Amino acid sequence: MAVNHAESPPRLVPGRLLAATHNKGKVEELKALFEPHGFNVVSALDLGLEEPEETEATFTGNALLKARAAMRACGLPALSDDSGLAVTALGGEPGIYSARWAGEPRDFYRAMQRVEDALKASGSADRSAKFVCALAVVWPDGQEAVFEGEVHGQLVWPPRGDRGFGYDPVFVATGETITFGEMDPERKHAMSHRAEAVKKLRATLLA
Ligand code: ITT
């Protein structure tokens, strides 16, 4: 679903684009998804911007919060990504808390183990899950747009593969046999939640 908060959001003009994220895995994926379209992606991580606290209750809310903070800090159009893993048998958890389940410092093996433990404790045989991504763009004049994407699949245990990031080693997309952690990044970029959100963004803001 694409959620456009602007009546008709401005076009995103190829050039410098601020990626409002401190997650290296996301920065790499956003570069791979946007640079072929003429964007030079600079991240909040590269610029040493402060990381805002994610206080909203939805992916869309947190994506807007991050993009607004980065746009205010730099005065450039900012693109943010709020994403996570929603596990059916866990009522959608960890969801917006996906990064926080990795603790401090972030350890995604710990996060994947925590999901696996919670699944076992739930007693459910349902291992279905989805990755969700909300991409927000905020312009210096205050216009905003948000696009959402999802990819559905199953969780496996133990984790497999060392590509990608976060929960990729335990997620097998529907119709696939290998995890996102084992998959060639280009293939992941053709089917991921982030790719779906980028596709919607491109259709609206780059068309
Ligand atoms: P920013 O807020 O700075 O962007 P973050 O890592 O804190 O970085 P989120 O709050 O959106 O980002 O948390 C999303 C977490 O969900 C992320 O840390 C990953 O662990 C997980 N996640 C999101 N997309 C993923 C993907 O494509 N593959 C694996 N895990 C993913």
Side-chain angles (χ1 to χ4, degrees):
M1 184 183 62
V3 185
N4 287 324
H5 290 267
E7 280 288 306
S8 57
R11 278 175 53 83
L12 202 52
V13 183
R16 205 152 168 242
L17 181 64
L18 174 60
T21 176
H22 290 75
N23 179 317
K24 276 191 190 141
K26 285 188 193 176
V27 174
E28 288 315 308
E29 292 199 2
L30 291 172
K31 281 187 174 165
L33 289 161
F34 280 89
E35 289 191 344
H37 300 278
F39 290 93
N40 170 16
V41 176
V42 186
S43 75
L45 186 68
D46 302 329
L47 298 180
L49 301 187
E50 210 173 301
E51 222 177 321
E53 199 187 334
E54 296 182 24
T55 50
E56 294 292 331
T58 61
F59 291 109
T60 292
N62 281 327
L64 281 167
L65 177 153
K66 290 189 271 192
R68 286 178 191 139
M71 182 282 290
R72 282 193 205 110
C74 291
L76 285 173
L79 166 77
S80 68
D81 168 314
D82 199 62
S83 45
L85 179 73
V87 181
T88 312
L90 303 182
E93 287 199 302
I96 60 164
Y97 302 107
S98 295
R100 279 166 263 186
W101 275 37
E104 281 301 341
R106 298 268 189 262
D107 174 350
F108 281 96
Y109 185 82
R110 173 162 57 197
M112 291 185 283
Q113 181 76 65
R114 190 168 161 193
V115 168
E116 186 60 21
D117 291 348
L119 259 180
K120 285 216 176 80
S122 77
S124 173
D126 181 0
R127 300 188 62 87
S128 65
K130 63 180 177 182
F131 274 125
V132 181
C133 173
L135 287 181
V137 182
V138 172
W139 284 263
D141 66 1
Q143 294 199 73
E144 299 180 334
V146 187
F147 304 89
E148 292 174 2
E150 293 184 355
V151 59
H152 294 249
Q154 296 284 324
L155 296 178
V156 296
W157 193 259
R160 301 190 328 233
D162 55 7
R163 306 179 101 168
F165 66 98
Y167 297 86
D168 279 341
V170 289
F171 186 82
V172 176
T174 304
E176 298 293 325
T177 54
I178 58 173
T179 68
F180 272 178
E182 296 171 301
M183 195 176 272
D184 186 71
E186 266 148 49
R187 190 143 155 230
K188 178 184 173 192
H189 298 160
M191 69 176 78
S192 76
H193 49 316
R194 189 161 294 106
E196 195 194 16
V198 169
K199 206 162 135 193
K200 290 177 182 171
L201 181 153
R202 282 209 313 258
T204 306
L205 304 185
L206 301 179

